[in-house]
Amino acid sequence: MPLPQPLAEHLGRVLTEKLHEPVQVRDARPVAGGSINDAFRLHTNAGEFFVKTNTADCYPSPFVSEERGLGILREAGALRVPEVLAQGEVDGTTFLLLEFIAQEEEDRDFQARFGRALARLHRSTNNSFGLGHDNYIGLLPQVNTPHKDWVEFLVQCRLEPLVKMARDNGRIHPGDTIRFERLYARLPALLPPEMPALLHGDLWKHNYLASANGEPVLIDPAVYYGHREMDLAMTKLFGGFDREFYEAYNNEEPLVPGWEERVELCNLYPLLVHLNLFGGSYADRVGSVLRKYV
Ligand code: ADP
């Protein structure tokens, strides 16, 4: 879908106010790569900007929590995130207007730089798992009620709600619902204790950019304080991160040995997200992971 004209005009006015100079959107070119929203590269007389749009079907708008999430990551100071210029709604279309990040091919040291920076992000801690507000992962609501105990948080705020949603929509094999119940009881023995770590929360290869000066830039987060192996595991769900990334992470902030054997366990959450969003073969993937543990 093209960028609606009333929205283009609104964005021109927003930028005019922000930049204290008359700004007009000259052109909005669709950007591929997103999984949920429409995205555009805006060309204006004051430079380039990036805008994501969607219909105003979800309340509150996922862009409200995306703005907050980007702000939380920025404050941690470990990694660059795009500046948020505005978010809002025009004629039933919600939008998030961001600084445009010019991108470059990853250079030789990029993955190591990214791994180190992620480890530094994960040093940002909190007195409980969760967050002060709920947010979204993709278009699915993400409950962030604070818990002192990671396994309790994982079960009550991550796995149970999505298993229930999948069951209500007939998307999960009935036997797997029971396997999840058995898994919950085993989790304390399977997951090593960790401090709550500030997570990106949806860290797959299309949710970071390599900026023109070689900096890793985080986009499209689903932040919360969680077990840091959740972010590491997510990087492995669809691949795209190099050996250097994991080595540098481990040098900066060593992971508890055996973390690679826990990847599939941690990825039950993003698999359930995909199962609920897209259905299909994700039910089999969830089932085959469960059978390894239960
Ligand atoms: P979605 O929410 O639909 O998943 P993303 O936030 O992942 O959308 O953005 C879609 C694509 O747009 C990304 O894969 C990336 O290539 C590009 N992109 C995202 N944010 C920016 C930005 N601030 N500047 C330039 N390109 C961006």
Side-chain angles (χ1 to χ4, degrees):
M1 225 192 39
L3 187 72
Q5 187 55 28
L7 178 55
E9 285 164 17
H10 178 78
L11 295 176
R13 286 193 292 275
V14 166
L15 287 166
T16 298
E17 207 168 287
K18 281 254 161 207
L19 305 180
H20 308 292
E21 58 170 307
V23 181
Q24 275 181 343
V25 175
R26 292 184 172 145
D27 179 32
R29 287 188 206 147
V31 176
S35 48
I36 304 285
N37 301 292
D38 290 326
F40 302 89
R41 177 177 183 163
L42 294 185
H43 296 264
T44 79
N45 53 303
E48 297 193 300
F49 299 89
F50 180 83
V51 68
K52 287 164 72 160
T53 66
N54 211 322
T55 49
D57 300 333
C58 288
Y59 185 82
S61 164
F63 292 145
V64 173
S65 53
E66 185 164 341
E67 176 179 22
R68 291 174 91 173
L70 288 169
I72 293 168
L73 292 176
R74 185 179 309 106
E75 263 172 41
L79 278 141
R80 183 173 168 196
V81 298
E83 190 192 339
V84 179
L85 294 152
Q87 63 81 21
E89 183 185 332
V90 174
D91 295 345
T93 301
T94 50
F95 71 87
L96 181 68
L97 179 63
L98 300 173
E99 165 191 11
F100 181 82
I101 306 288
Q103 293 166 63
E104 230 1 286
E105 289 273 294
E106 294 181 16
D107 64 49
R108 253 192 37 212
D109 301 323
F110 177 86
Q111 288 277 324
R113 251 190 331 272
F114 189 15
R116 269 194 301 278
L118 185 71
R120 287 198 293 271
L121 174 72
H122 286 171
R123 280 188 198 134
S124 300
T125 189
N126 195 36
N127 53 17
S128 52
F129 296 97
L131 198 66
H133 61 274
D134 292 345
N135 51 14
Y136 289 88
I137 179 156
L139 286 179
L140 289 186
Q142 188 168 252
V143 181
N144 292 321
T145 311
H147 283 263
K148 294 283 177 203
D149 180 77
W150 167 245
V151 170
E152 258 180 38
F153 177 83
L154 179 64
V155 172
Q156 291 178 24
C157 296
R158 291 291 176 270
L159 302 176
E160 265 180 358
L162 292 193
V163 171
K164 182 177 181 311
M165 189 184 288
R167 195 194 56 210
D168 291 350
N169 295 317
R171 285 192 150 163
I172 192 166
H173 302 307
D176 288 340
T177 310
I178 297 158
R179 282 190 190 93
F180 265 109
E181 294 293 332
R182 293 202 197 118
L183 178 72
Y184 299 156
R186 299 198 54 201
L187 285 175
L190 293 169
L191 295 170
E194 286 270 359
M195 291 292 287
L198 181 58
L199 305 185
H200 174 281
D202 192 7
L203 192 57
W204 71 301
K205 65 178 174 191
H206 286 306
N207 278 348
Y208 75 85
L209 307 173
S211 76
N213 64 0
E215 265 178 304
V217 181
L218 293 180
I219 58 168
D220 205 11
V223 302
Y224 64 102
Y225 288 90
H227 196 296
R228 64 202 175 110
E229 288 180 14
M230 295 294 280
D231 262 356
L232 274 299
M234 182 80 204
T235 63
K236 289 189 172 261
L237 189 59
F238 302 111
F241 294 74
D242 296 349
R243 184 171 50 82
E244 289 78 8
F245 172 86
Y246 302 100
E247 278 174 6
Y249 184 102
N250 254 303
N251 285 337
E252 187 75 23
E253 201 61 55
L255 288 154
V256 176
W259 72 273
E260 279 172 298
E261 282 95 70
R262 294 185 289 273
V263 163
E264 285 194 301
L265 192 60
C266 294
N267 277 342
L268 277 172
Y269 174 56
L271 280 177
L272 281 170
V273 170
H274 283 79
L275 173 62
N276 280 290
L277 287 174
F278 310 116
S281 63
Y282 286 107
D284 297 335
R285 283 183 73 178
V286 166
S288 74
V289 175
L290 283 172
R291 278 188 293 277
K292 289 186 187 165
Y293 293 94
V294 180

